[in-house]
Amino acid sequence: MSKQRAGVFIAFEGGDGAGKSTQAGRLAAELETRGYTVRRTREPGGTPVGEKLRSLVLDHGNGEIDAHTEALIFAASRAAHASQVIRPALGRGEIVLTDRYIDSSVAYQGAGRGLGQDAVKSLNDWATSGLQPHLTVLLDVDPRLGRSRRTAGEAAEDRLESEADDFHARIRKAFLDLAASRPGSYLVLPADLPVDELTARILARVDVLLAAPVPSFTVPAGHGTDGAGS
Ligand code: TYD
């Protein structure tokens, strides 16, 4: 039986190569050891339709995808993710850890592609019926470090990753601006800290969140088919 009384929603954000997946995995393992039920997920993707949208938008070779189309594909993937995965898990009282959420669209499509951060935020608030994380962990990465980490492995860069450095610099600034606008809901950490130190600092912040009173975990009602989380 799960230990927590209400669901907790935590998003990991940051530029490509920031180390989000590593830290989300470490946090999940630690929380599970303590008896919490953890749902790890990611965007784009996380549902069958979302995984198809993921390859459509990230793979090279799908023809031209203009900025508006790109933003709508990410938002469509997120709508399915919020209604089919995140809300139901929160309704069951689980801790949801997502690798990327709305801030990624605000940063990549709003700032990176120049669609406007407010417009992209509104689109995604509509797509998710206003479902916001209780905490966003932002791993702030210098775009040059991110690229050198990405290109060190075997995998080729996807459509977004292979964009120029100034694109990634705009994204970095947008993430930091989002965090600065609501500091109480963010933990911002430099991605080049030692991996163990990052994990310890994230865990310390999550401990504070888990100790917070239950009413702060209210989940707004959604438009999905699950009926949970309201
Ligand atoms: P991700 O799977 O996190 O890539 P990686 O694990 O290699 O960091 O994200 C894939 C790419 O999609 C990444 O370059 C960021 C981009 N992206 C957007 O542009 N907008 C979005 O809303 C999301 C969720 C991701």
Side-chain angles (χ1 to χ4, degrees):
M1 185 165 131
S2 103
K3 195 170 166 183
Q4 67 270 20
R5 286 177 296 164
V8 179
F9 181 20
I10 301 172
F12 284 78
E13 296 281 11
D16 295 285
K20 299 178 303 299
S21 318
T22 303
Q23 291 302 327
R26 285 172 152 233
L27 177 63
E30 176 59 30
L31 293 173
E32 279 167 352
T33 303
R34 296 187 192 176
Y36 290 99
T37 304
V38 179
R39 180 74 164 85
R40 260 199 83 190
T41 183
R42 69 164 182 181
E43 294 193 356
T47 63
V49 71
E51 292 298 327
K52 289 201 167 161
L53 292 168
R54 179 183 176 92
S55 20
L56 198 62
V57 75
L58 293 186
D59 295 352
H60 296 274
N62 287 323
E64 187 195 340
I65 300 180
D66 66 80
H68 286 84
T69 306
E70 183 181 283
L72 288 163
I73 294 174
F74 282 116
S77 167
R78 182 163 299 122
H81 191 219
S83 68
Q84 295 173 29
V85 176
I86 303 175
R87 281 180 192 281
L90 293 174
R92 292 189 297 269
E94 297 175 12
I95 298 180
V96 177
L97 305 183
T98 183
D99 199 329
R100 298 194 182 281
Y101 192 59
I102 293 177
D103 285 8
S104 279
S105 281
V106 175
Y108 282 78
Q109 282 65 55
R113 297 292 193 214
L115 289 181
Q117 299 181 50
D118 290 346
V120 172
K121 177 90 174 63
S122 301
L123 169 68
N124 281 280
D125 284 344
W126 176 78
T128 62
S129 299
L131 182 65
Q132 287 290 338
H134 300 109
L135 173 68
T136 297
V137 176
L138 171 57
L139 298 181
D140 175 45
V141 67
D142 182 319
R144 283 163 304 183
L145 172 64
R147 193 180 294 275
S148 70
R149 283 179 174 177
R150 294 197 298 277
T151 49
E154 296 282 297
E157 291 189 305
D158 65 37
R159 269 186 66 247
L160 279 297
E161 288 170 339
S162 54
E163 286 291 335
D165 286 351
D166 65 328
F167 177 81
H168 290 283
R170 285 198 297 281
I171 286 163
R172 180 186 196 187
K173 180 175 183 315
F175 276 131
L176 289 170
D177 288 347
L178 284 164
S181 71
R182 289 193 308 125
S185 302
Y186 285 80
L187 172 66
V188 183
L189 294 169
D192 59 355
L193 287 179
V195 179
D196 286 343
E197 184 178 342
L198 282 173
T199 307
R201 288 173 68 170
I202 293 168
L203 202 50
R205 180 67 181 81
V206 170
D207 278 339
V208 173
L209 182 66
L210 293 175
V214 171
S216 69
F217 296 147
T218 304
V219 179
H223 56 226
T225 52
D226 50 86
S230 54

